[in-house]
Amino acid sequence: MCPNTFKITVEDGTNLEVKLDKANKERIGIVHIFHGMAEHMGRYDLFVESLNQQGYDVIRHNHRGHGKDIIERERGHYDSMQIVAADAYEILQTLYPERDGLPYIVLGHSMGSIIARKYVEMYPDTAQGLILTGTGLFPKVKGNLMVIGMKLISLILGKRRRLRWVNNLAFKPFNKRIPDAKTESDWLSTKKDEVNKYCEDPYCGFLMSNQAIYETIHEMMVTSRPSEIKKMNPDLPVLLISGKEDPFGDYSKGIRRLGVTMKRNGVQHITVQLYRNKRHEILFEEDHLQTWNNMYDWIKKNILKKNKVSEHNDNE
């Protein structure tokens, strides 16, 4: 295990794999990455190196049911997204009980973006910025029907069961607009090598439990309710980033819907960045460096200046 990789035992005794990469120049902030469903924190290595070069310390961890060193019967399962969000908060408090005025930015991708939404509603005074990539919001009728269906499946067939047909029911439709799809995961990216890396990674693409799928869809809908959004810090800057061809974001319609819903319910600073001909894993897509740089510019404008963090060490 690398010196910057370790385990933290959270309140209920669960061991979580954690990695902390320190900035390699004067620190200007802390970024906490919440990875997506059926993947792991190691996939973000190149992005983390870039964040370190910008001056950010980066925290990342494998959520419950994810990672390399876990009990196989636990893979793909967690009981509650609220517990998963609480894990992230406990990790932050363990590593950075004091942040010396440095802004703390939560960045969640896909399932991790739903966890991040839950997180900032549960702990509204913690983050100074929220970045959601590949997030989602299904139309109310569709989303609620999926929630009811997955709830029944979880109750009748078992919360912990990992059934291929249930996973296919939830995720296979995401490929429907890709006529030349070669794998079940082509919806992730237009870059074939990135799709292949995901498919060949032994710690990616595993089956998720009935309960974990239910919790993800359920909290996608719950965290967009006006009553829940109003729990957020209304001054929290929020950046929504998505490929226009991302089915999880309802091909950009869900992203716009989420932004409007947040704005209508008191969140003052919402920015939406949509990228043409890009799919779900926008951080690893074609021209991803431009996406990263646009993100860094947004952080400087909306968070660093607001928090009066020195920017004299920016890249020239």
Side-chain angles (χ1 to χ4, degrees):
M1 191 171 285
C2 299
N4 60 339
T5 306
F6 43 90
K7 288 188 175 182
I8 289 179
T9 303
V10 292
E11 187 175 4
D12 70 352
T14 301
N15 291 318
L16 299 176
E17 298 168 314
V18 181
K19 197 166 187 178
L20 176 61
D21 295 273
K22 295 290 189 74
N24 52 22
K25 61 195 294 186
E26 184 177 346
R27 286 189 305 168
I28 58 175
I30 302 162
V31 175
H32 196 165
I33 296 175
F34 297 2
H35 70 73
M37 180 179 283
E39 62 157 350
H40 57 89
M41 65 181 177
R43 298 186 71 226
Y44 294 79
D45 284 346
L46 289 177
F47 179 52
V48 171
E49 287 179 18
S50 177
L51 285 165
N52 291 159
Q53 291 168 5
Q54 293 287 321
Y56 299 100
D57 284 359
V58 181
I59 308 167
R60 47 186 160 150
H61 66 281
N62 287 323
H63 304 300
R64 292 170 183 247
H66 296 74
K68 297 181 179 181
D69 190 15
I70 64 171
I71 301 170
E72 278 306 310
R73 62 184 172 82
E74 296 295 329
R75 189 173 300 282
H77 175 75
Y78 59 83
D79 289 310
S80 161
M81 190 168 279
Q82 181 169 328
I83 294 173
V84 179
D87 290 340
Y89 182 73
E90 190 169 347
I91 287 167
L92 170 68
Q93 295 301 105
T94 300
L95 297 179
Y96 288 92
E98 302 291 337
R99 295 190 287 280
D100 301 322
L102 289 172
Y104 167 68
I105 301 163
V106 175
L107 189 158
H109 171 69
S110 194
M111 179 190 78
S113 75
I114 312 301
I115 298 167
R117 283 153 57 173
K118 189 73 173 177
Y119 184 90
V120 297
E121 291 172 357
M122 289 172 62
Y123 309 105
D125 299 325
T126 301
Q128 284 71 55
L130 175 65
I131 301 173
L132 305 176
T133 70
T135 199
L137 181 58
F138 296 153
K140 190 171 290 187
V141 173
K142 174 186 175 182
N144 289 337
L145 285 174
M146 291 180 71
V147 168
I148 293 168
M150 281 308 309
K151 182 66 172 178
L152 290 172
I153 287 171
S154 185
L155 288 173
I156 295 169
L157 300 180
K159 292 183 177 182
R160 287 182 168 271
R161 291 191 69 185
R162 295 170 291 178
L163 302 170
R164 182 164 297 280
W165 72 266
V166 174
N167 280 253
N168 286 343
L169 187 68
F171 306 116
K172 199 169 184 177
F174 289 164
N175 256 2
K176 68 181 180 181
R177 289 200 189 182
I178 306 174
D180 58 343
K182 300 295 189 295
T183 76
E184 294 180 353
S185 302
D186 276 28
W187 65 278
L188 294 177
S189 178
T190 62
K191 292 181 70 175
K192 292 182 180 179
D193 59 333
E194 287 295 333
V195 173
N196 289 338
K197 280 195 289 185
Y198 178 89
C199 292
E200 293 166 6
D201 191 323
Y203 303 107
C204 286
F206 46 85
L207 297 179
M208 297 296 295
S209 73
N210 295 334
Q211 181 68 12
I213 296 173
Y214 161 73
E215 280 289 314
T216 301
I217 301 171
H218 176 248
E219 290 297 344
M220 178 199 297
M221 304 308 292
V222 167
T223 55
S224 65
R225 291 175 183 168
S227 60
E228 297 300 303
I229 291 174
K230 287 174 182 176
K231 294 177 182 178
M232 292 174 59
N233 177 355
D235 292 324
L236 180 71
V238 178
L239 174 61
L240 308 177
I241 309 176
S242 180
K244 284 191 172 183
E245 298 304 314
D246 179 5
F248 192 63
D250 198 17
Y251 303 96
S252 80
K253 289 181 288 190
I255 310 302
R256 296 182 190 278
R257 195 181 303 120
L258 178 61
V260 169
T261 302
M262 285 182 163
K263 189 75 173 178
R264 284 177 177 169
N265 289 283
V267 182
Q268 299 297 311
H269 310 286
I270 307 284
T271 303
V272 177
Q273 295 177 355
L274 298 173
Y275 292 85
R276 290 177 182 154
N277 304 316
K278 303 292 187 290
R279 296 176 187 163
H280 185 58
E281 293 194 333
I282 193 67
L283 294 177
F284 308 146
E285 264 280 14
E286 295 284 354
D287 306 318
H288 62 269
L289 292 179
Q290 185 60 56
T291 304
W292 296 1
N293 287 330
N294 290 342
M295 181 191 304
Y296 299 149
D297 289 343
W298 178 86
I299 293 173
K300 291 173 187 176
K301 178 180 178 181
N302 293 278
I303 299 173
L304 299 187
K305 288 183 178 179
K306 181 178 178 181
N307 288 272
K308 299 180 180 179
V309 176
S310 173
E311 296 183 56
H312 70 269
N313 58 349
D314 289 346
N315 288 346
E316 295 180 359

